[in-house]
Amino acid sequence: MNRFAQQPPRRPPRPHRRRRPDDEAGQARSLVLATLLTAALVLTLTPPASGAHAAAEEASQAVQVSSAPPAKSGGSVASNWVTPVPAMEIIKAFDPPDEPWLKGHRGIDVLAVEDEPLRAPTTGSIRFAGTVAGSATVSVRTDSGHVLTFQPATSPMEKGERFSAGEQIGTVGPGGHCERSCLHIGAWPASTDQRYTDPGKLFGQEQSVLLPLSRKPAEEPAGGGDSSTSGAGAWGGHSNGRIPASAMCELATAPGRMLRCDAQAAFDRLSRAFEARFGSPISVTDAYRDYATQVILKRRKGRMAATPGTSNHGWALAVDLGSGINSFGSAQHRWMRAHAPKFGWIHPGWARQSGSLPEPWHWEFRK
């Protein structure tokens, strides 16, 4: 059937009638009357309040509107991403040049070994996988609108292929520009023309600096019910590093990180309390480590890493943290020492500043 057939005849336009001045005046009077009636109705239905109370209520509403958080775009929150390699250790920091054409270090170098798994920092897709200037390169675009490049690295995934946070997207390749085996990470917002930013901040991790003993506080914070006893250990009949995913839960505040479910629930509560104080959830740079990951870390760090099958992380009861907690003496670290034990999380004695292996970033769940 022709959709243009049998169209009803169009009604001729009505002649335009010029509005008289008395019509305009009548409409204005009607508008004023309607406004007065509406105001009277509001006053009738609203309970009376003192001038001070009304002003306070109005100010409160204004604060609520101005401080409302912006709508989320659906991507993961930057500064709490999964590190591309576990127990990420920065060996050369971000040091961009003052001008784009000058030499500089437009990313970070992290300690890594050849054939080590490369993990997705957050949800996104593959942007490129191939060779750039003779170096094997993997580039990704995150759902939050960031571009990250990894060198040397290879990936079997195709351009545009999707991945989730923590998923293996490739492996660390041989070579690179470091004296020690490393992975170079570059990052920039996709909306800019490669204006590089510090990738370490995306993972809530900066270089940890251990304060000299001369700057050690005279007394460490006692903390609420604090304990120096290690909280990690065997449970459920599982072997270290061989706990099935079905026996663990993913952290709500750090997607891609797994812990025993009671430890996960307690940590998420702790992270929300930290966020209320410092404005962002706790960055988790490492949590559960399976046996294969422990083997890789032993290759990478030698005697500084636990023997595979003995790591506290292998019980899904330990975390490594960023967000400033990873620096002795920081406000964030002091806050954790005072408040984390209330949520069941402790800083074990060996990891404290006076311990046998000072690690401000390492915290454990007390069973």
Side-chain angles (χ1 to χ4, degrees):
M1 176 179 178
N2 187 343
R3 66 186 181 90
F4 294 103
Q6 299 182 359
Q7 295 280 350
R10 303 181 68 178
R11 179 180 297 176
R14 294 181 179 179
H16 177 70
R17 183 173 67 89
R18 182 184 178 90
R19 182 177 291 173
R20 298 196 308 273
D22 55 343
D23 290 340
E24 295 178 353
Q27 287 188 355
R29 285 193 298 272
S30 299
L31 180 60
V32 170
L33 181 59
T35 303
L36 291 174
L37 289 174
T38 302
L41 180 61
V42 170
L43 291 174
T44 302
L45 296 178
T46 304
S50 65
H53 178 76
E57 182 173 316
E58 184 176 356
S60 174
Q61 291 175 351
V63 169
Q64 290 177 7
V65 171
S66 62
S67 63
K72 293 183 178 180
S73 63
S76 301
V77 178
S79 82
N80 211 10
W81 290 351
V82 176
T83 55
V85 294
M88 190 173 86
E89 179 182 346
I90 299 173
I91 57 177
K92 187 172 182 180
F94 182 64
D95 186 20
D98 294 331
E99 300 294 343
W101 57 85
L102 298 176
K103 290 184 177 180
H105 197 238
R106 295 172 172 82
I108 59 174
D109 294 338
V110 302
L111 197 60
V113 293
E114 185 179 345
D115 294 330
E116 182 172 341
L118 177 68
R119 307 186 297 191
T122 182
T123 56
S125 59
I126 297 293
R127 181 172 174 267
F128 173 82
T131 302
V132 176
S135 180
T137 303
V138 175
S139 176
V140 302
R141 176 164 180 159
T142 70
D143 289 345
S144 60
H146 291 80
V147 173
L148 282 85
T149 59
F150 306 100
Q151 294 177 315
T154 61
S155 175
M157 299 177 71
E158 301 288 338
K159 179 180 179 180
E161 192 170 347
R162 299 279 305 169
F163 51 73
S164 57
E167 180 182 345
Q168 182 174 348
I169 57 174
T171 56
V172 176
H177 62 272
C178 301
E179 293 182 4
R180 303 166 67 188
S181 179
C182 77
L183 176 72
H184 178 82
I185 307 171
W188 65 87
S191 58
T192 68
D193 185 20
Q194 291 194 4
R195 296 181 183 178
Y196 288 86
T197 58
D198 185 356
K201 294 181 179 180
L202 298 176
F203 307 105
Q205 182 170 337
E206 60 281 350
Q207 284 185 298
S208 300
V209 179
L210 302 183
L211 300 179
L213 290 178
S214 60
R215 294 181 58 188
K216 181 179 181 293
E219 293 184 3
E220 291 186 335
D226 201 356
S227 171
S228 62
T229 305
S230 179
W235 58 274
H238 302 296
S239 299
N240 186 292
R242 303 185 188 278
I243 301 174
S246 59
M248 298 182 291
C249 293
E250 184 180 54
L251 289 170
T253 55
R257 305 297 191 185
M258 304 288 286
L259 290 173
R260 195 175 70 183
C261 293
D262 56 341
Q264 167 268 320
F267 185 88
D268 280 333
R269 291 194 297 271
L270 170 63
S271 185
R272 286 190 287 268
F274 182 91
E275 183 177 13
R277 170 63 180 83
F278 294 101
S280 60
I282 298 173
S283 172
V284 182
T285 60
D286 210 7
Y288 171 67
R289 291 179 192 163
D290 61 20
Y291 187 85
T293 299
Q294 294 180 45
V295 171
I296 289 170
L297 290 183
K298 191 65 176 177
R299 285 178 54 204
R300 191 203 299 169
K301 305 182 78 169
R303 64 182 183 85
M304 297 300 293
T307 300
T310 66
S311 170
N312 288 334
H313 289 274
W315 298 119
L317 293 172
V319 291
D320 288 346
L321 307 177
S323 301
I325 298 167
N326 52 328
S327 295
F328 286 119
S330 68
Q332 294 88 342
H333 188 86
R334 292 196 303 270
W335 186 94
M336 282 288 289
R337 284 294 309 277
H339 298 282
K342 303 172 186 176
F343 297 85
W345 284 88
I346 63 167
H347 193 212
W350 62 265
R352 296 185 185 181
Q353 198 165 14
S354 58
S356 59
L357 184 60
E359 291 186 355
W361 54 83
H362 182 92
W363 295 74
E364 296 176 359
F365 186 67
R366 186 171 52 204
K367 297 184 293 180

